[in-house]
């Protein structure tokens, strides 16, 4: 009996360690930046934190900056100087400046992966503008919700098929993978809109080697079988909207030369016409337009030896692993790329199509 | 009373806890391509020795391996049970230390190690004092609570899989067998099944039903390696200490209210690992209890826990944990091979004597 009394009087005390009170910071004592910016200085980095701040009837934005040798040191310094602790757990967008991307992102990205402070799912983008002003304007702009950069990339709000969406882990993978590179979106401040897309940066082994336009990014997304729904293509005689797309691949490997036949099927809807073109004409013109663009894109990529389309992935069966290591330099430039484009006009909108 | 379900569940839970831990990194490191070859080899060895062990136990219905060995004399007791005991203690030290390190690396960066290790040992201590039946009933409870989470996480983990990474599929190079990382992978293969020989007569089970447990454990062996491989590719996956955890980090589900599926997964695994530590403590305590029947099991468990806790505190870094893994591999293989074989052998011997 005595034993039980002792036991039950000790048990309630176990509740204290449950609270985790020795090292826990309450949520009101943390600041959680939604996006961070990193730029390369002559020595070390400069970091921008975009922190949403609740104001009376809206969500404001506060920009905090710091300079130092390493990212962690800067974050730590900012933390020391602020009234609450900085917690990078909810960073959703990382913006780096162009210079840093040209010099290489590997150290930065592997730092993120190593410490797991920043989620591996964070979207990464390049700022093709003065990054100081880029972040300053975010703070100044009136009525700006604190989540503008995040909304821009979210699939359910601002994302569009000509934005290349790449996450931290994908960039990390590209810097180690033998057969796969990555494209990341390039932004600048817009004239009337807050952001303007410049195109996509082609990142090879963590370094920026080439820039492709946003039209080409659409092809990149279509190649990866991502939906390009909603994209509008303008031809001489008509403008059409892509409703759905899918892609098939056929690979061949003869005499150390890889060849890839890709069939793209686009279903489109006609929005506007110029004069009275026949369906056949529109179809043919659109196919030609996309075909030329694809060929130009692949030529561009082959010269930079960056395989953002992940074409090497399709040849893992044929090329032994030790040779696969040199896919980018030995095989990729010799690639024979045969795109076939099928356009299907799904409907003509609300008007009957009467052309011959 | 037949408690096969409890035994099967315990078998599944402890193995899941062990497999999703260091096994993927070990296998990915061991070879460059055709990872299914080392995985299948491990699975075959695992199944063969479990079946052999069960076969051997079937010669002694209702007895555990302690009474079996002791009925053949002191020599057997020292030759087989002492290494088993040492293996249990070292495995517990490694598991507690390594798991608390994983917790700090993955999500509790600021919590001191001693607190995590105390937590990881306190619950097993409490549970193992309650005895074998309580442990196995807890196993059922835990599986109801956490297996659905784990199943959910395993299903969504296919989100970023790229099947091209399966190739090249064949590998003529079998040098992985001698690699340290492959030898370390046997931690997941050899450690979990010995409890089958300890639970009788308190908990009786049917041998056939263990085969059901294989059906759950074999896919776990394969998925734990192939999900990170197919998500990242070998060249990237080999740079991670916990590839499976990173593969889970890449899952983006906007409709789920929690941002990181990894946390569900890890918390489930930690409960499984606590069960494993509980079993180990309990097994070690009954071995001692058999040799010194005058001491109460409660005190033995408490003393063992303190020894393990102090040993864990003495390990300063991850490098040393790796070292322990290396030293432990000798015991690991000794236990994996000799216990099932000797039980089977003794079984045949005793059969001959009867007739």
């Amino acid at each position: 009996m005595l034993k039980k009394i002792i036991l039950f009087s000790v048990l309630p005390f176990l509740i204290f360690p449950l609270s985790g009170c020795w090292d826990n910071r309450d949520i009101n004592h943390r600041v959680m930046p939604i996006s961070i910016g990193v730029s390369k200085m002559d020595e070390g980095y400069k970091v921008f934190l975009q922190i949403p701040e609740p104001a009376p009837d809206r969500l404001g934005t506060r920009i905090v900056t710091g300079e130092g040798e390493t990212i962690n040191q800067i974050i730590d310094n900012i933390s020391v100087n602020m009234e609450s602790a900085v917690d990078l757990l909810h960073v959703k967008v990382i913006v780096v400046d162009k210079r840093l991307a040209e010099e290489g992102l590997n150290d930065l990205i592997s730092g993120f992966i190593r410490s797991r402070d920043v989620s591996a799912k964070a979207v990464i983008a390049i700022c093709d503008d003065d990054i100081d002003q880029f972040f300053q304007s975010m703070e100044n702009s009136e009525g700006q919700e604190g989540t503008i950069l995040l909304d821009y990339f979210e699939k359910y709000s601002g994302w569009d098929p000509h934005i290349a969406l790449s996450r931290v882990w994908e960039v990390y993978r590209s810097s180690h993978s033998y057969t796969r590179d990555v494209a990341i979106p390039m932004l600048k401040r817009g004239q009337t809109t807050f952001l303007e897309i410049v195109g996509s940066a082609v990142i090879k082994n963590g370094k920026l080697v080439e820039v492709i336009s946003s039209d080409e990014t659409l092809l990149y997304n279509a190649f990866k079988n991502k939906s390009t729904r909603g994209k509008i293509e303008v031809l001489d005689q008509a403008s059409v909207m892509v409703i759905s797309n899918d892609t098939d691949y056929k690979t061949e490997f003869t005499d150390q030369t890889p060849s890839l036949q890709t069939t793209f099927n686009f279903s489109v809807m006609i929005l506007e016409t110029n004069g009275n073109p026949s369906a056949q004409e529109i179809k043919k013109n659109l196919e030609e337009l996309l075909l030329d663009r694809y060929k130009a894109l692949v030529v561009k990529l082959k010269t930079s030896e960056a395989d953002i389309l992940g074409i090497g992935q399709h040849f893992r069966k044929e090329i032994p692993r030790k040779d696969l290591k040199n896919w980018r330099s030995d095989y990729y430039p010799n690639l024979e790329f045969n795109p076939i484009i099928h356009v299907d006009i799904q409907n003509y909108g609300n008007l009957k199509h009467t052309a011959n | 009373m037949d408690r096969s379900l409890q035994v099967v569940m315990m078998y599944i839970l402890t193995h899941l806890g062990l497999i999703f831990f260091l096994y993927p990194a070990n296998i990915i490191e061991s070879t460059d391509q055709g990872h299914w070859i080392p995985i299948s080899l491990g699975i075959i060895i695992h199944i063969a020795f479990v079946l052999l062990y069960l076969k051997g136990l079937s010669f002694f219905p209702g007895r555990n391996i302690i009474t079996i060995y002791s009925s053949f004399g002191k020599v057997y007791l020292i030759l087989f049970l002492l290494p088993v005991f040492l293996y249990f203690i070292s495995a517990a030290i490694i598991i507690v230390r390594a798991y608390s390190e994983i917790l700090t690396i993955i999500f509790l960066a600021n919590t001191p190690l001693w607190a995590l290790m105390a937590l990881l040992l306190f619950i097993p201590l409490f549970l193992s004092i309650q005895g074998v039946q309580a442990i196995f009933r807890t196993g059922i409870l835990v599986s109801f609570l956490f297996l659905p989470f784990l199943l959910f996480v395993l299903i969504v983990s296919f989100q970023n899989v790229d099947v091209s990474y399966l190739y090249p599929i064949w590998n003529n190079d079998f040098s992985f067998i001698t690699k340290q990382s492959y030898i370390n992978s046997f931690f997941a293969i050899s450690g979990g099944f010995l409890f089958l020989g300890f639970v009788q007569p308190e908990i009786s089970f049917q041998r056939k039903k263990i085969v059901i447990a294989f059906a759950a454990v074999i896919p776990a062996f394969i998925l734990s390696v192939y999900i990170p491989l197919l998500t990242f590719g070998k060249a990237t996956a080999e740079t991670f200490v916990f590839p499976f955890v990173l593969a889970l980090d890449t899952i983006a589900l906007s409709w789920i209210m929690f941002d990181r599926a990894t946390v569900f997964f890890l918390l489930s695994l930690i409960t499984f690992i606590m069960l494993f530590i509980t079993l180990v403590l309990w097994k070690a305590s009954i071995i001692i209890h058999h040799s010194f029947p005058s001491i109460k099991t409660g005190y033995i468990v408490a003393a063992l826990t303190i020894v393990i806790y102090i040993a864990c505190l003495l390990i300063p870094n991850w490098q040393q944990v790796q070292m322990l893994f290396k030293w432990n591999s000798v015991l690991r293989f000794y236990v994996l091979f000799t216990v099932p074989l000797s039980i089977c052998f003794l079984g045949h011997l005793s059969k001959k004597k009867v007739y």
Side-chain angles (χ1 to χ4, degrees), chain B residues 266-323:
Chain B
L266 278 170
L267 290 180
S268 319
L269 281 198
I270 283 163
T271 53
F272 299 168
I273 277 300
M274 279 179 180
L275 270 183
F276 179 76
I277 299 170
T278 309
L279 266 185
V280 167
L281 278 177
W282 171 76
K283 284 183 283 190
S285 75
I286 61 165
I287 292 176
I288 296 199
H289 187 68
H290 181 81
S291 325
F292 306 97
S294 55
I295 316 173
K296 271 191 186 170
T297 29
Y299 294 122
I300 299 172
V301 178
L304 285 176
T305 313
I306 293 169
V307 170
I308 292 169
Y309 187 61
I310 292 172
C312 288
L313 286 177
L314 292 176
I315 304 169
N317 54 33
W318 187 247
Q319 218 76 46
Q320 299 256 316
V321 178
Q322 300 277 349
M323 277 297 282

Side-chain angles (χ1 to χ4, degrees), chain A residues 23 116 121 173 180 313, chain B residues 106 111 162 231 239 249 259:
Chain A
D23 65 347
R116 287 182 93 259
K121 284 178 290 187
R173 178 174 67 181
R180 203 172 223 178
Q313 290 291 97
Chain B
I106 291 172
T111 311
D162 179 350
T231 308
T239 61
D249 273 345
D259 196 35

Side-chain angles (χ1 to χ4, degrees), chain B residues 174-339:
Chain B
F174 282 83
S175 64
F176 63 82
I177 294 172
T178 52
K179 278 202 182 151
Q180 185 62 40
S181 70
Y182 189 63
I183 290 168
N184 286 349
S185 81
F186 276 77
F187 195 73
I189 288 166
S190 65
F193 67 83
L194 283 178
F195 80 88
L196 295 173
F198 283 84
V199 292
Q200 304 211 47
E202 287 92 339
I203 291 186
S204 56
F205 60 95
Q206 295 170 333
R207 274 196 300 147
K208 274 181 248 157
K209 299 249 169 93
I210 298 297
V211 178
I212 304 169
F214 289 151
V217 170
I218 292 171
F221 275 117
I222 298 165
L223 289 182
S224 70
V225 176
Y226 268 96
I227 283 173
L229 266 185
L230 297 186
T231 308
F232 295 106
K234 148 81 181 163
T236 316
E238 72 179 350
T239 61
F240 302 135
V241 184
F242 306 112
F244 195 83
V245 174
L246 252 302
L248 292 184
D249 273 345
T250 67
I251 301 168
L253 294 174
S254 50
W255 48 268
I256 196 168
M257 67 176 168
F258 298 101
D259 196 35
R260 294 186 178 186
T262 327
V263 176
F264 286 104
F265 169 78
L266 278 170
L267 290 180
S268 319
L269 281 198
I270 283 163
T271 53
F272 299 168
I273 277 300
M274 279 179 180
L275 270 183
F276 179 76
I277 299 170
T278 309
L279 266 185
V280 167
L281 278 177
W282 171 76
K283 284 183 283 190
S285 75
I286 61 165
I287 292 176
I288 296 199
H289 187 68
H290 181 81
S291 325
F292 306 97
S294 55
I295 316 173
K296 271 191 186 170
T297 29
Y299 294 122
I300 299 172
V301 178
L304 285 176
T305 313
I306 293 169
V307 170
I308 292 169
Y309 187 61
I310 292 172
C312 288
L313 286 177
L314 292 176
I315 304 169
N317 54 33
W318 187 247
Q319 218 76 46
Q320 299 256 316
V321 178
Q322 300 277 349
M323 277 297 282
L324 268 185
F325 254 100
K326 214 170 164 179
W327 295 343
N328 179 269
S329 46
V330 181
L331 273 176
R332 196 180 308 146
F333 279 98
Y334 186 81
V335 168
L336 172 66
F337 292 122
T338 58
V339 172

Side-chain angles (χ1 to χ4, degrees), chain A residues 14 22-23 89 92 113 116-121 156 169 172-173 176-178 180 313 316-317 321, chain B residues 32-33 106 110-112 115 160 162 164-165 167 231-232 234-236 239-240 249-251 259-260:
Chain A
L14 286 177
W22 58 81
D23 65 347
L89 192 70
K92 303 281 188 223
I113 295 280
R116 287 182 93 259
D117 284 343
V118 176
S119 164
K121 284 178 290 187
Y156 53 76
W169 67 270
Y172 182 78
R173 178 174 67 181
H176 290 269
S177 176
Y178 300 157
R180 203 172 223 178
Q313 290 291 97
R316 292 185 88 93
K317 250 181 271 186
R321 198 177 156 79
Chain B
D32 275 341
Q33 56 194 50
I106 291 172
N110 302 322
T111 311
N160 293 312
D162 179 350
S164 318
Y165 280 124
Y167 304 101
T231 308
F232 295 106
K234 148 81 181 163
T236 316
T239 61
F240 302 135
D249 273 345
T250 67
I251 301 168
D259 196 35
R260 294 186 178 186

Side-chain angles (χ1 to χ4, degrees), chain A residues 36-234:
Chain A
I36 62 175
V38 183
S39 80
K40 183 94 181 161
M41 313 265 291
D42 290 329
E43 273 173 37
Y45 300 98
K46 185 170 182 184
V47 169
F48 304 79
L49 302 181
Q50 185 219 353
I51 303 161
E53 287 218 316
D57 42 42
R58 62 188 186 88
L59 206 60
T61 294
R62 180 173 164 196
I63 303 291
V64 180
T65 61
E67 285 173 25
E69 293 285 310
T70 64
I71 306 289
N72 280 308
Q73 182 208 357
I74 302 166
I75 301 290
D76 201 40
N77 277 344
I78 295 175
S79 233
V80 168
N81 295 333
M82 279 183 84
E83 63 283 4
S84 2
V86 176
D87 187 340
L88 298 183
L89 192 70
H90 287 281
V91 169
K92 303 281 188 223
V93 182
I94 297 162
V95 182
V96 296
D97 78 341
K98 204 176 167 186
R99 181 172 156 205
L100 178 58
E102 275 162 356
E103 282 177 28
L105 296 167
N106 282 346
D107 292 343
L108 183 76
I109 298 293
S110 44
F112 289 147
I113 295 280
R114 186 189 301 275
S115 68
R116 287 182 93 259
D117 284 343
V118 176
S119 164
K121 284 178 290 187
V123 174
I124 190 153
I126 291 178
C127 171
D128 187 22
D129 207 335
D130 183 32
I131 196 163
D132 274 281
Q133 284 175 11
F134 184 80
F135 271 90
Q136 281 317 319
S137 65
M138 224 183 286
E139 191 174 28
N140 299 337
S141 55
E142 273 298 314
Q144 206 55 266
E145 294 262 319
T147 53
I148 176 159
L149 271 175
L150 168 62
D151 291 342
Y152 188 76
F153 291 110
E154 278 296 348
K155 282 225 165 111
Y156 53 76
S157 59
W159 184 81
D160 238 46
H162 26 200
I163 302 173
L165 193 69
S166 289
R167 300 176 185 279
V168 167
W169 67 270
E170 286 172 303
V171 180
Y172 182 78
R173 178 174 67 181
S174 102
S175 62
H176 290 269
S177 176
Y178 300 157
T179 50
R180 203 172 223 178
D181 290 302
V182 77
I184 58 185
M186 245 173 143
L187 308 167
K188 65 176 186 189
R189 281 178 303 147
Q191 297 291 330
T192 51
T193 51
F194 178 69
L195 292 171
E196 194 181 307
I197 188 100
V198 179
S200 300
V202 175
I203 303 287
K204 175 192 167 190
N205 288 72
K207 272 188 188 148
L208 191 156
V209 289
E210 178 77 73
V211 177
I212 58 174
S213 70
S214 59
D215 280 338
E216 286 166 330
T217 310
L218 175 90
L219 304 180
Y220 163 76
N221 280 332
F223 192 94
K224 303 198 116 183
N225 249 333
K226 283 182 186 161
S227 167
T228 55
R229 188 190 161 82
K231 163 70 184 166
I232 302 198
E233 286 293 347
V234 180

